[in-house]
C-alpha cells in the first residue's frame, strides 16, 4: 500500500494549505512566487521571513486524527509506504516511521551554495543566516519550484508506486509534478487507486474510488473498518 498526502491532511492541524489564501502580511504573496530559488536570490530576507512565519505555525501545530490514522495503518497493512508532499513533519510526530518527504522538511536548513544540510550551530545569525563554513546564505531544506526531487527519495517513491496493490491519495489537489504523477504510475501498474479529498481533483475521474470529506474524519473511519476484518 502507498499513501500519498498533501497539505489537506495538515489543514485540520491549522497549517494552511497552498490553495488557501495566505493570511496576514503574506496575503499579497502567492506561494509559487516565494517558493523558488529565483525569489530567494532576488529577496532572501522576505523569503526567509515567510519560512520563519510558516515554521512558527508548524511548531505550534499538532498532528490531527488523520495523521494518527495513517500511522495506525502501518500496523494493519503488510507493507505501507508513506509519501508526503508536506514539509511540516507532522506524520513523524504522529508516529509514522520514515515517511518519504518528497518536498523536504521546513524545519531543516541547507547551505544555499553547497546544498549540504546544516545544524543550528553551523548558522551565523542573520536574516537569512549564513553558513559558518562558506559564508553563503542559508535556505530551508525544502524542494522549491523548478528544483529536482532528491533522487533517493524519488527512486524509492517510484519503486513503491510501481509495486503497490493499493494507492491512497489524501488531501492533495494533484497538481504539482512529479508528485501528481505517482497516482498515474500506480494506475498504470494495475493498482487500485482511491482518493480521499474534500474537493474534486484531476485524479478524481480516473481513481477507482473517491471519498469526499475531511481526512481527519474519514481516515479514522477507514482504520476502524479495516480493524474489523
Ligand atoms: C520540478 C515545498 C523540474 C516548498 C513544494 C515552470 C517552471 C519550473 C517548474 C514547473 C513549471 N511549470 C510546472 C513545473 C513543474 C512544477 C509544478 O508542478 N508546478 C505546478 C504549480 C504546476 N514542479 C516543480 O517545480 C517540481 N520540480 O519539476 O523540477 C526539474 C527537472 C529536472 C531538472 C531541474 C528541474 C518541484 C515541485 C515542489 C515544489 N515545492 N513544497 C514549500 O512548501 O515552501 S510544493 C507545495 O505545493 C507543497 O509541498 C505541495 O506539494 C503543493 C501544494 O499541493 P497540495 O499539497 O496538493 O496542496 P493544495 O493546497 O494544492 O491542495 C490541498 C488539497 O487538500 C485540496 O484539493 C483540498 O480540497 C484538500 N483539502 C483541504 N482540506 C482538507 C482536504 N482534503 C481532506 N481533508 C481536509 N481537511
Amino acid at each position: 500500500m502507498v499513501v500519498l498526502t498533501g497539505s489537506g491532511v495538515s489543514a485540520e492541524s491549522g497549517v494552511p494549505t497552498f490553495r488557501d489564501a495566505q493570511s496576514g502580511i503574506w496575503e499579497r504573496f502567492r506561494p509559487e512566487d516565494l517558493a523558488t530559488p529565483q525569489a530567494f536570490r532576488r529577496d532572501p530576507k522576505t523569503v526567509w521571513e515567510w519560512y520563519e512565519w510558516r515554521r512558527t505555525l508548524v511548531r505550534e501545530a499538532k498532528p490531527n486524527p488523520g495523521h494518527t490514522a495513517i500511522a495506525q495503518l502501518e500496523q494493519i497493512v503488510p507493507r505501507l509506504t508513506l509519501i508526503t508532499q508536506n514539509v511540516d513533519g507532522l506524520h513523524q510526530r504522529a508516529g509514522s516511521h520514515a515517511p518519504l518527504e518528497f518536498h523536504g522538511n521546513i524545519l531543516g536548513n541547507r547551505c544555499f551554495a553547497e546544498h549540504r544540510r546544516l545544524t543550528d550551530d553551523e548558522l551565523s545569525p542573520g536574516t537569512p543566516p549564513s553558513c559558518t563554513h562558506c559564508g553563503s546564505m542559508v535556505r530551508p531544506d525544502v524542494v522549491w519550484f523548478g528544483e529536482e526531487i532528491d533522487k533517493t527519495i524519488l527512486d524509492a517513491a517510484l519503486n513503491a508506486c510501481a509495486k503497490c496493490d493499493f494507492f491512497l491519495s489524501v488531501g492533495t489537489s494533484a497538481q504539482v509534478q512529479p508528485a501528481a504523477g505517482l497516482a498515474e504510475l500506480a494506475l498504470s501498474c494495475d493498482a487500485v487507486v482511491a482518493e480521499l479529498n474534500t474537493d474534486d481533483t484531476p485524479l478524481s475521474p480516473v481513481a477507482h474510488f473517491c471519498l469526499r470529506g475531511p481526512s481527519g474524519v474519514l481516515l479514522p473511519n477507514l482504520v476502524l473498518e479495516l480493524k474489523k476484518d
Side-chain angles (χ1 to χ4, degrees):
M1 180 173 179
V2 167
V3 178
L4 171 71
T5 62
S7 56
V9 163
S10 295
E12 292 159 78
S13 297
V15 179
T17 71
F18 259 62
R19 296 285 169 280
D20 289 346
Q22 302 224 93
S23 60
I25 57 166
W26 302 108
E27 206 158 7
R28 59 196 171 93
F29 291 97
R30 284 185 341 133
E32 297 88 282
D33 298 334
L34 290 170
T36 71
Q38 295 79 5
F40 189 59
R41 282 193 196 92
R42 188 176 57 244
D43 188 352
K45 185 172 180 299
T46 298
V47 173
W48 182 262
E49 286 172 343
W50 180 53
Y51 278 94
E52 285 297 280
W53 173 67
R54 289 174 62 195
R55 282 168 167 170
T56 307
L57 289 180
V58 162
R59 288 193 186 99
E60 286 164 359
K62 298 270 180 298
N64 66 60
H67 293 108
T68 307
I70 290 171
Q72 289 167 343
L73 269 178
E74 280 179 14
Q75 315 306 322
I76 298 171
V77 302
R79 281 198 59 188
L80 186 142
T81 300
L82 173 57
I83 306 167
T84 186
Q85 300 173 85
N86 301 338
V87 297
D88 55 34
L90 287 175
H91 284 300
Q92 292 91 317
R93 288 169 54 192
S96 286
H97 299 100
L100 296 175
E101 291 187 302
F102 215 61
H103 294 152
N105 189 306
I106 198 170
L107 297 178
N109 287 303
R110 274 198 281 128
C111 170
F112 189 55
E114 298 175 333
H115 293 285
R116 70 163 132 185
R117 287 197 171 84
L118 300 171
T119 58
D120 287 351
D121 56 15
E122 293 175 288
L123 310 182
S124 297
T127 310
S130 49
C131 169
T132 53
H133 304 285
C134 72
S136 161
M137 298 191 290
V138 172
R139 57 166 290 169
D141 186 14
V142 296
V143 178
W144 276 332
F145 288 99
E147 293 186 322
E148 289 180 287
I149 309 301
D150 173 277
K151 186 157 176 16
T152 310
I153 289 179
L154 180 60
D155 289 349
L158 293 171
N159 187 43
C161 294
K163 290 181 178 163
C164 73
D165 303 297
F166 185 62
F167 183 101
L168 178 62
S169 176
V170 191
T172 178
S173 61
Q175 291 179 36
V176 173
Q177 295 296 351
L182 297 175
E184 287 151 44
L185 171 59
L187 268 174
S188 70
C189 297
D190 300 328
V192 172
V193 173
E195 176 184 67
L196 194 165
N197 204 58
T198 44
D199 300 315
D200 282 351
T201 75
L203 176 62
S204 307
V206 295
H208 296 92
F209 301 96
C210 285
L211 303 169
R212 285 285 167 265
S215 49
V217 173
L218 293 182
L219 281 170
N221 291 346
L222 184 69
V223 167
L224 276 177
E225 286 305 309
L226 285 171
K227 279 181 175 172
K228 285 177 187 168
D229 290 353

